[in-house]
Amino acid sequence: MKKIINYQEMKQIFYFILLIAGFSSIHSCKNLLDEDGNPLLDLNQTGGLSGPRALYREITAKDTLAEYQYSGLQVTRVLTDSASITDIMYSGDRISQITFRGFLDLDGNGKLDKDSVSYSQLFNYGNNSRLQSISETRYVFRRPLPVPPSTKPGPQTLLATEKYIYALKYSAATTKLDSIIMRKGVDVPGVQFAFTEYSKTAYTYAGDNVSKVIRLYGPASGPTGEIYGAPVEKYGYEYYVYDEQISPFTLLPFTYKISRLLSTKRNDKESLILSPNNPKRWSVTDLTAHIPMPIVMSTNYAYDIQTYMTKGYGVNYIYKPQ
């Protein structure tokens, strides 16, 4: 008997193709200097930096996806597409707050939204200096439709104020990140605030590398939003065939990487940034589909003489001396 894929499942497949599109195209890049005129890693040759380094840029031939700015050894600002800015503040050597102002792909269609977002995240640590919880306030803006005879949308107007609480748990056996539980609510003036949504993210490892991530979403209720209803969305991300070379993301703080993963609903696809090595294949699957169909991507990496990865999944990684 042939399996029949209904219209909804075709839409889900199309969504995943869009989700992956920006992650998979192949590009090249030119030689660059950093903002101080220091030489960066030359991706067009087989050499590279030697000695201590910092991650400076993630680039393609068309765009700079991210540029990292530092104060001494600490990354303090990240510039991303469409002039978006992430500012990182510290208390000693630990990140205490991250603020973002700019544009995100909130609807998961592979393109940045035209409307802006700003959020502030506060980070709390346990006695062992491990990140334990995150509180976030997020402002979502929209441009209202044009008022005839004008054809231009109106100015950015506050659409919603959202509040999030994230709780992180770690494996007692391995000390690795085990799960993240999120509670979300919309703050409406004149209405008592309540958490109405939740998500749970579970992490599985192969050695030190993330091998699987499962994230589910559903309704929440109760005075503190800790009564979780049946999940209505569930996605799986898997990472295979890790190399033994060094991931560029080992140079970034763990807290920043968690913030990056939580920036949008679908950014779990980037969970490979938590791994010390680089997966040559990864997949994403809508686990609520009648017939779950993983979309698999693969790449061939390039490395420098210190075995840092310099190119993969269409992105080039630029380093600077530290």
Side-chain angles (χ1 to χ4, degrees):
M1 178 181 296
K2 294 183 179 179
K3 295 181 178 179
I4 299 175
I5 301 176
N6 63 30
Y7 173 71
Q8 183 61 32
E9 288 169 344
M10 287 298 294
K11 287 176 62 180
Q12 292 166 335
I13 294 169
F14 180 68
Y15 159 75
F16 282 116
I17 293 172
L18 288 176
L19 182 148
I20 290 170
F23 206 81
S24 61
S25 57
I26 302 302
H27 303 282
S28 62
C29 69
K30 299 178 180 179
N31 298 342
L32 296 170
L33 302 177
D34 70 10
E35 68 275 14
D36 299 319
N38 297 316
L40 302 171
L41 179 63
D42 182 355
L43 292 178
N44 299 320
Q45 300 180 20
T46 57
L49 297 177
S50 61
R53 67 176 63 199
L55 181 59
Y56 180 54
R57 283 179 177 167
E58 302 172 40
I59 70 173
T60 69
K62 297 180 180 179
D63 298 297
T64 296
L65 304 181
E67 177 179 309
Y68 300 91
Q69 299 181 353
Y70 295 82
S71 175
L73 300 178
Q74 294 178 332
V75 57
T76 56
R77 174 169 282 189
V78 184
L79 306 179
T80 47
D81 201 1
S82 296
S84 300
I85 299 174
T86 301
D87 284 316
I88 304 170
M89 287 147 276
Y90 291 81
S91 176
D93 61 352
R94 298 191 302 199
I95 294 175
S96 58
Q97 183 176 356
I98 288 179
T99 60
F100 173 87
R101 304 180 303 280
F103 301 88
L104 296 168
D105 177 18
L106 296 178
D107 57 10
N109 69 353
K111 298 180 181 180
L112 291 181
D113 296 350
K114 299 292 185 182
D115 301 305
S116 64
V117 173
S118 68
Y119 60 77
S120 176
Q121 296 171 327
L122 299 176
F123 301 92
N124 300 296
Y125 299 84
N127 295 331
N128 53 13
S129 296
R130 286 193 305 208
L131 180 62
Q132 282 194 326
S133 65
I134 306 168
S135 59
E136 175 184 322
T137 301
R138 177 175 295 219
Y139 302 97
V140 181
F141 297 87
R142 289 289 184 272
R143 300 186 67 183
L145 295 174
V147 177
S150 174
T151 59
K152 294 182 178 180
Q156 296 276 359
T157 303
L158 180 63
L159 175 70
T161 301
E162 302 171 345
K163 293 186 176 180
Y164 299 77
I165 296 291
Y166 299 92
L168 289 77
K169 296 184 179 181
Y170 299 84
S171 167
T174 66
T175 73
K176 292 181 175 63
L177 178 64
D178 179 73
S179 63
I180 300 176
I181 297 177
M182 177 273 286
R183 289 174 289 151
K184 171 191 173 183
V186 177
D187 194 5
V188 179
V191 179
Q192 181 163 341
F193 176 81
F195 290 108
T196 57
E197 300 176 39
Y198 79 95
S199 75
K200 292 183 178 180
T201 310
Y203 297 88
T204 304
Y205 298 84
D208 291 330
N209 294 307
V210 174
S211 59
K212 181 184 293 187
V213 177
I214 302 292
R215 188 168 187 179
L216 53 86
Y217 303 84
S221 60
T224 60
E226 293 184 338
I227 300 175
Y228 304 133
V232 295
E233 296 180 74
K234 188 175 183 180
Y235 301 96
Y237 308 85
E238 296 193 54
Y239 306 91
Y240 320 84
V241 196
Y242 274 91
D243 61 18
E244 296 181 354
Q245 281 68 45
I246 305 171
S247 166
F249 298 101
T250 59
L251 300 170
L252 298 176
F254 174 78
T255 297
Y256 167 76
K257 291 186 282 190
I258 293 297
S259 174
R260 174 168 166 169
L261 293 177
L262 299 176
S263 62
T264 73
K265 192 173 183 179
R266 301 288 186 264
N267 230 33
D268 296 288
K269 67 180 183 293
E270 291 192 353
S271 294
L272 56 86
I273 69 176
L274 299 177
S275 298
N277 306 118
N278 309 286
K280 297 177 182 179
R281 298 174 63 196
W282 73 280
S283 68
V284 56
T285 308
D286 180 357
L287 298 174
T288 62
H290 178 63
I291 305 174
M293 299 179 65
I295 305 296
V296 181
M297 299 301 300
S298 63
T299 194
N300 291 316
Y301 289 113
Y303 310 95
D304 67 11
I305 57 175
Q306 287 192 314
T307 72
Y308 279 87
M309 189 264 282
T310 58
K311 183 177 181 180
Y313 293 107
V315 179
N316 294 282
Y317 298 89
I318 308 298
Y319 303 92
K320 60 184 287 186
Q322 185 64 281

